Amino acid sequence: MTYNTLEVTWKTAIPVESLEAHAVICLVSEAEWITGHFPESWKQAIISVKERGLFNGSENQLFTIPVKQGSAAATLVLVGTGEHPMSVDELRNLAAKAAKASLQVSADEVVFAMPSSLVSYSDTLDISKVAHALTEGFILGAYRRKNYKQKQKAYIGPSKLTFHQEKITDPDFQKEWEKGIERGQAFAAGTNYARDLTNLPGNMLVPEDLAVASKQLAEKHGLEYSILDERELEEKGMGGILAVGKGSIHPPKMIVIKYQGKETWDGDIVGLVGKGITFDTGGISLKPRVGMEEMISDMGGAATVLGALETLCILRPKLNTLIIIPTAENMPSGSAFKPGDVITTLSGRTVEILNTDAEGRVVLADGMTYAKELGATSLIDVATLTGAVLSALGDVATGAVSNDETFLSRFISASRRTGEKVWPLPAYPEFQEMLRSDVADLRNSTGRNAASSTAGLFIGTFADGMPWIHLDIAGTAFLSKERGVNPKGATGVMVRTIVEWITSVE
């Protein structure tokens, strides 16, 4: 993967002007203007900006001032924090905003000058969480999508970030801050991994390529893995993924990776099942031309579970997690599956195909059953599943369907801590009835009505009562313009929330 590795450190007890930096970020509230022991010339520049009405410290306001950093030129980046202590989510977004300003001035080394009022955050927030949010936000905000232009810019983003506060020398404080840095880096690394993978063009990521990327990630961290090819899928009776993949010249795969943090592979095992459709034309039920280029993101669920795995491997929690990725390319051809076909999934359930563009739930059916066979005791599936979730929640929130209210409640609590919005969709028995087919056990499409809920419940059928959550990221996995910590394009959504939930129940 191509994401930039950022060195992050904490330094204190030295003047800020003695640190090498191309940009110095300064948090300024409406009440507290001169923060830190800055050189007199910096203070006068800040006062001048205020007196001229160019900057008043209001929340998310940003202003840059050219200054001297030693003998070199630098940029002082003023970021407004408003008039009240900021929440963790606000701090995360503020850091992302500062990172974007650093990109604009091509800063390689950045100093984040922390205000003396930072100490007050420890009264209401765990200081490690403050460090986590600022580190994570900065790295996520500094992310830029790889391009394939003939002429490439040499600058790819900051390589070094130093948090600085001259007065705070308490070793316990520094220990907690460094703990937060480590966790923030890990969460951001997994998210950026998922972003890079999702942003790959469809001709550079077919099922075989996704399998290779998964293998490389597993081998990098010394994990057990297996990849089932087309012949093995047939032997096991995985008729769902085989049906979806048979229209393409690129055969489907079933990817399995085991993260074993405990001594034995038993007890609670979280199964993460990610939809890996590397490109989705809709198959015989062909999608409209407009917007089809964004279907490179239809493997966003697979990218999310791999990104979560990357973060887990950095943090190394003592738990067991199973990654399952059914991957295929959904193409129209003479061999493609058709509306009216009846297929048999790994579970033995038969499915009437009414819409070949409702293919994600079909491959996930086999993925869910296989995760159970391999020992999963709870399941989360992640998929860019329905256009209907966009109508309900836009590109702001991820839709969730579950068979376990307690499980979902805890997961949503984790999402509030990461700032990733999750909204529960209803799972009424009447919706389950809509999935009944006259000629098979299930039908793969119920039409427009309650489409996001019924699509999720189709997948949930294959949980067979096991605690399960479905996450529909069709609206949140790929954005048309940047917002908050997320760039235009792939977001790596749900990586951070999944890891936050998993590690909170460790």
Side-chain angles (χ1 to χ4, degrees):
M1 293 294 101
T2 61
Y3 60 86
N4 190 26
T5 301
L6 184 69
E7 178 188 350
V8 187
T9 58
W10 165 267
K11 289 190 177 179
T12 187
I14 55 175
V16 67
E17 63 268 27
S18 69
L19 297 171
E20 291 187 11
H22 304 107
V24 178
I25 300 164
C26 176
L27 305 186
V28 182
S29 69
E30 293 181 21
E32 183 183 19
W33 260 83
I34 303 301
T35 61
H37 295 273
F38 286 167
E40 191 61 31
S41 62
W42 292 18
K43 294 179 181 179
Q44 291 303 317
I46 295 173
I47 291 170
S48 174
V49 165
K50 180 183 180 182
E51 290 176 343
R52 292 159 61 196
L54 299 175
F55 183 86
N56 61 13
S58 60
E59 189 172 338
N60 288 322
Q61 191 180 17
L62 190 145
F63 196 86
T64 57
I65 305 172
V67 294
K68 279 283 186 181
Q69 177 72 345
S71 60
T75 300
L76 186 61
V77 180
L78 306 182
V79 185
T81 64
E83 58 183 12
H84 60 87
M86 305 190 83
S87 67
V88 167
D89 198 34
E90 288 170 330
L91 287 169
R92 186 185 295 109
N93 286 319
L94 176 148
K97 195 175 186 72
K100 291 168 187 175
S102 301
L103 287 172
Q104 290 176 353
V105 298
S106 299
D108 183 46
E109 296 188 44
V110 179
V111 169
F112 210 127
M114 308 307 301
S116 56
S117 60
L118 174 69
V119 181
S120 67
Y121 280 100
S122 61
D123 296 334
T124 54
L125 296 174
D126 182 336
I127 201 64
S128 69
K129 292 180 180 177
V130 175
H132 176 165
L134 291 174
T135 302
E136 179 182 274
F138 189 92
I139 297 172
L140 294 179
Y143 176 87
R144 285 299 178 267
R145 180 179 180 177
K146 180 181 178 181
N147 68 68
Y148 304 91
K149 296 179 181 180
Q150 187 176 19
K151 295 182 178 180
Q152 296 283 342
K153 292 182 179 180
Y155 175 72
I156 60 172
S159 64
K160 185 175 182 180
L161 173 65
T162 302
F163 288 105
H164 174 269
Q165 216 300 321
E166 191 167 341
K167 287 186 175 181
I168 301 175
T169 58
D170 181 1
D172 290 336
F173 186 98
Q174 180 168 338
K175 182 179 179 181
E176 285 300 302
W177 193 272
E178 290 174 347
K179 176 183 172 183
I181 287 175
E182 180 182 356
R183 193 167 171 88
Q185 285 180 298
F187 275 56
T191 303
N192 283 347
Y193 178 95
R195 289 172 172 179
D196 274 348
L197 201 57
T198 307
N199 279 327
L200 285 172
N203 61 324
M204 298 183 185
L205 189 76
V206 298
E208 175 64 26
D209 297 317
L210 185 55
V212 169
S214 301
K215 174 185 174 183
Q216 289 172 342
L217 182 61
E219 291 180 343
K220 168 186 170 183
H221 295 293
L223 305 182
E224 180 184 342
Y225 69 92
S226 62
I227 299 168
L228 305 185
D229 60 20
E230 198 170 16
R231 178 185 59 79
E232 291 168 307
L233 297 176
E234 289 175 356
E235 289 176 353
K236 286 187 173 294
M238 295 187 179
I241 186 173
L242 284 167
V244 173
K246 69 180 184 178
S248 172
I249 61 171
H250 304 290
K253 309 282 185 184
M254 182 68 80
I255 301 164
V256 179
I257 308 176
K258 291 182 177 181
Y259 171 82
Q260 186 171 335
K262 296 180 180 179
E263 291 185 4
T264 57
W265 187 256
D266 55 18
D268 294 332
I269 299 172
V270 178
L272 301 178
V273 186
K275 174 185 171 184
I277 302 298
T278 56
F279 195 82
D280 181 21
T281 66
I284 297 299
S285 306
L286 194 66
K287 289 179 181 291
R289 173 186 60 82
V290 177
M292 195 190 288
E293 70 280 358
E294 292 187 0
M295 286 300 101
I296 62 171
S297 68
D298 210 27
M299 40 60 66
T304 290
V305 299
L306 288 173
L309 177 64
E310 167 77 349
T311 298
L312 289 174
C313 288
I314 295 171
L315 297 176
R316 290 289 174 177
K318 294 181 180 180
L319 48 82
N320 292 336
T321 303
L322 182 65
I323 306 296
I324 300 287
I325 299 171
T327 179
E329 190 178 52
N330 189 22
M331 300 290 284
S333 74
S335 59
F337 73 142
K338 312 173 294 300
D341 285 359
V342 174
I343 63 172
T344 303
T345 63
L346 176 60
S347 70
R349 290 184 180 89
T350 55
V351 178
E352 180 187 12
I353 303 300
L354 298 181
N355 180 0
T356 65
D357 195 22
E359 85 299 331
R361 66 203 71 177
V362 177
V363 301
L364 287 168
D366 284 344
M368 293 277 284
T369 302
Y370 200 40
K372 286 174 53 195
E373 287 186 3
L374 294 176
T377 57
S378 62
L379 295 162
I380 297 177
D381 80 84
V382 192
T384 48
L385 203 69
T386 66
V389 79
L390 271 161
S391 299
L393 303 174
D395 61 1
V396 174
T398 292
V401 180
S402 180
N403 62 2
D404 188 314
E405 290 187 8
T406 301
F407 186 7
L408 182 57
S409 177
R410 289 172 178 167
F411 189 85
I412 290 175
S413 293
S415 77
R416 294 192 181 109
R417 295 193 293 274
T418 64
E420 295 188 307
K421 296 176 175 64
V422 176
W423 191 259
L425 299 172
Y428 301 132
E430 291 87 345
F431 293 164
Q432 190 72 52
E433 288 294 318
M434 293 168 65
L435 292 168
R436 292 187 181 276
S437 165
D438 292 336
V439 297
D441 295 316
L442 296 166
R443 53 178 176 165
N444 82 320
S445 177
T446 61
R448 296 171 62 89
N449 293 340
S452 293
S453 289
T454 57
L457 287 170
F458 177 97
I459 300 167
T461 303
F462 298 86
D464 289 314
M466 183 177 290
W468 154 81
I469 296 174
H470 157 69
L471 299 172
D472 191 339
I473 61 171
T476 52
F478 204 85
L479 300 183
S480 59
K481 59 182 180 180
E482 66 179 33
R483 183 177 63 240
V485 300
N486 290 317
K488 180 180 179 180
T491 63
V493 70
M494 290 293 106
V495 167
R496 294 181 293 122
T497 298
I498 288 172
V499 176
E500 176 68 22
W501 172 77
I502 287 178
T503 55
S504 68
V505 297
E506 180 188 351

